[in-house]
Amino acid sequence: MTTPEEILQRLYDETLLGNAPEVLDLTHQALALEMEPQTLLFDALIPSLEEVGARFERGDFFVPEMLIAGRAMAGAMEVLRPLLADTGVQTIGKFLMGTVKGDVHDIGKNLVNIMLEGAGFEVIDLGVQVAPEKFVEKIIEHQPDIVGFSAFLTTTMPMFKANLNALQKAGLRDQVIVMVGGAPVTQEYADAVGADGYAPDASATVKRAKDLLQ
Ligand code: B1M
């Protein structure tokens, strides 16, 4: 019989290899053993993607390896999503979210969305490569309490400022709270561009978003 520890190790290994069918199968096996979705996420899937990134930096992995590992993780997230988000709490605010223009990373953004939904936010996800004018258009359409910009590359972080300028120009800056985040983003950077809030990870985003709504 497979133990929870063995499943976690295999989930880590198979995500690293980008073996999507196996990752999906292991996710189901883990849930059948009543393992917590959070354990799969924080003790196997996220550490595995961190290792993928480290190997990419060392030149041991290339973009295709990153891509298939990302897809394997995304497959598991589809299964975990309803379990992580299903808390039955009431809606506490509307959150419009998107990855900035020029950036295709979405796993981290999607995880933030799941945690926000789980905490009671209504989340409207604009997807990836969202241009400033699209954010403006959707803020007018949906009237969110908070808009969130995700950026995962040092080269796309400057889009925060471009988005904020677009909001200012459209006369929307005072109507919506702006949060920023993503792997290379820091509190200092968030302050420098004039965002209202920053968080380093998904659970901290929930906490910060709730604080900002007070
Ligand atoms: Co890319 N990539 N990638 N990549 N990729 C990184 C980000 C990188 C750090 C890898 C590395 O070098 N170690 C590096 C960026 C370096 C930098 O600029 N500092 C990098 C690079 C260089 C690139 C390309 C340029 C590679 C190339 O083409 N030469 C290219 C860029 C494409 C583009 O966007 N234009 C590229 C492409 C890709 C893939 C498409 C292959 C794939 C993306 C798949 C996908 O997302 N659908 C990919 C992947 C998988 C990664 C790594 C390995 C994993 C990212 C991930 O999902 N992490 C990544 C290395 C790494 O991060 N370890 C890497 C797990 C996720 C849960 O964490 O994304 O940090 P994270 O999200 C967190 C927080 O950031 C925070 O909460 C999330 C959950 O806890 N957060 C917020 C996110 N958004 C927030 C918003 C908030 C608050 C918090 O408020 C609004």
Side-chain angles (χ1 to χ4, degrees), residues 5-26:
E5 290 71 27
E6 283 165 351
I7 290 195
L8 284 180
Q9 185 60 50
R10 285 180 59 205
L11 202 50
Y12 176 94
D13 293 339
E14 298 297 341
T15 305
L16 199 60
L17 295 174
N19 190 347
E22 193 61 25
V23 168
L24 203 56
D25 188 45
L26 286 163

Side-chain angles (χ1 to χ4, degrees), residues 34-114:
E34 297 188 352
M35 291 172 70
E36 291 293 329
Q38 286 89 342
T39 307
L40 309 189
L41 200 56
F42 295 112
D43 294 350
L45 296 167
I46 292 180
S48 187
L49 277 199
E50 279 165 6
E51 177 58 21
V52 171
R55 290 187 186 194
F56 176 77
E57 254 174 69
R58 290 201 302 268
D60 295 337
F61 269 17
F62 299 94
V63 174
E65 281 96 343
M66 275 211 292
L67 192 59
I68 58 168
R71 282 197 189 138
M73 160 116 179
M77 290 297 292
E78 281 307 303
V79 177
L80 299 179
R81 172 183 272 274
L83 304 171
L84 290 164
D86 183 20
T87 55
V89 291
Q90 280 193 330
T91 302
I92 53 171
K94 203 188 268 190
F95 206 115
L96 186 76
M97 184 76 153
T99 297
V100 300
K101 186 176 173 181
D103 201 321
V104 304
H105 295 86
D106 67 354
I107 297 170
K109 167 185 68 62
N110 295 344
L111 185 54
V112 172
N113 289 347
I114 291 171

Side-chain angles (χ1 to χ4, degrees), residues 108-190:
K109 167 185 68 62
N110 295 344
L111 185 54
V112 172
N113 289 347
I114 291 171
M115 296 293 182
L116 285 169
E117 281 168 6
F121 282 90
E122 176 191 349
V123 177
I124 300 149
D125 183 9
L126 303 182
V128 298
Q129 304 238 51
V130 183
E133 51 276 21
K134 184 84 171 177
F135 276 114
V136 167
E137 179 195 322
K138 293 295 171 183
I139 290 168
I140 293 167
E141 182 183 337
H142 295 288
Q143 304 281 315
D145 301 292
I146 306 180
V147 59
F149 307 140
S150 286
F152 303 90
L153 300 166
T154 39
T155 49
T156 56
M157 279 162 54
M159 286 311 297
F160 291 158
K161 191 69 194 162
N163 289 343
L164 280 154
N165 288 345
L167 260 57
Q168 189 78 45
K169 205 169 154 204
L172 296 170
R173 184 62 191 97
D174 296 336
Q175 292 176 34
V176 68
I177 296 166
V178 173
M179 279 194 74
V180 296
V185 185
T186 59
Q187 181 67 60
E188 290 68 33
Y189 192 81

